[in-house]
Amino acid sequence: MDLSQKDWQSQLEEDSNAVILDVRTADEWSEGIIPNAVLNDIYKGQAFIYRLEELDPSKNYYVYCKAGGRSAQACAIMNQMGFENTYNLEGGFMNWKGPVVFPEE
């Protein structure tokens, strides 16, 4: 499901069962992330799928990329794999107005 920036952030703040999934590349990740995000680069192909298989499908996944295209694709893949609650950040990280942190090296 696509959510606006405002709805994605407000829903995330109220969700105690949330996982934030960043599907950008490692280079993009190093430029800043939404706090508590987990990296799983969609461009890694089968490795991306393997990492999804390790996730708990009962959690709620808030997925983002740079502009919203890759994360929409990731949500579709996750839904096919049995993840019921995936939320795509419309407009992606480049339009994010919420908190940003830099990942530990």
Side-chain angles (χ1 to χ4, degrees):
M1 174 188 312
D2 290 341
L3 291 177
S4 69
Q5 297 265 334
K6 183 177 177 224
D7 290 346
W8 195 89
Q9 186 173 9
S10 61
Q11 185 171 316
L12 175 62
E13 287 170 0
E14 302 293 316
D15 192 341
S16 60
N17 196 35
V19 176
I20 304 170
L21 194 60
D22 183 328
V23 298
R24 300 175 302 161
T25 65
D27 283 348
E28 290 172 307
W29 166 265
S30 68
E31 295 167 5
I33 64 170
I34 294 173
N36 303 311
V38 177
L39 178 63
N40 187 5
D41 180 354
I42 195 169
Y43 288 152
K44 297 262 190 241
Q46 195 60 43
F48 172 74
I49 301 297
Y50 291 146
R51 292 211 46 205
L52 290 180
E53 289 171 346
E54 296 170 0
L55 300 176
D56 180 349
S58 70
K59 300 243 182 233
N60 302 323
Y61 290 89
Y62 293 79
V63 188
Y64 72 94
C65 64
K66 185 172 183 177
R70 283 174 285 174
S71 50
Q73 188 181 1
C75 286
I77 292 167
M78 292 173 76
N79 293 341
Q80 289 172 350
M81 291 175 67
F83 291 86
E84 291 183 19
N85 299 311
T86 60
Y87 305 103
N88 177 41
L89 178 61
E90 285 183 344
F93 188 73
M94 65 184 192
N95 292 311
W96 177 248
K97 303 284 191 270
V100 172
V101 297
F102 289 91
E104 306 280 327
E105 288 300 322

